[in-house]
Amino acid sequence: VRLVLKLIKLGITSVHWSKNSMDWKHDGEQAISYLTRKPIKHKDIVLLHDDHEKVLGITEYILNRHGSCKFKKIQASDF
């Protein structure tokens, strides 16, 4: 809490994700398995690293599985 208050005073926005794909650590299938241990819910923030090719497969999986949900792509620089 103290860190967040300090960041606010400095004008820095802190964002915490609720789902981490662990795509930097696992191959595509393992990352999907890790990501789907708990269902993705409304307003979840899913952390993906765009410097890995496997993110495309993970993203496709998420969109196919949760296609009826409304997704909004937000990059860290948008905050």
Side-chain angles (χ1 to χ4, degrees):
V1 174
R2 290 186 346 198
L3 174 62
V4 174
L5 293 175
K6 179 72 172 176
L7 293 173
I8 290 170
K9 287 180 182 178
L10 294 172
I12 299 172
T13 302
S14 173
V15 178
H16 187 76
W17 53 87
S18 52
K19 298 285 182 191
N20 186 350
S21 69
M22 301 297 283
D23 56 349
W24 59 273
K25 187 175 182 180
H26 302 296
D27 67 28
E29 288 182 20
Q30 285 178 315
I32 289 171
S33 172
Y34 186 86
L35 186 60
T36 58
R37 287 182 184 167
K38 294 182 180 176
I40 297 173
K41 303 180 308 279
H42 181 65
K43 295 193 177 186
D44 270 344
I45 296 175
V46 180
L47 176 66
L48 299 168
H49 298 83
D50 63 359
D51 58 344
H52 291 279
E53 283 190 34
K54 59 189 154 200
V55 169
L56 295 174
I58 295 168
T59 304
E60 183 178 349
Y61 171 83
I62 292 169
L63 293 175
N64 286 336
R65 181 165 179 169
H66 303 283
S68 63
C69 299
K70 292 181 182 177
F71 288 97
K72 182 176 181 181
K73 174 188 160 192
I74 300 174
Q75 296 180 355
S77 60
D78 293 337
F79 288 98

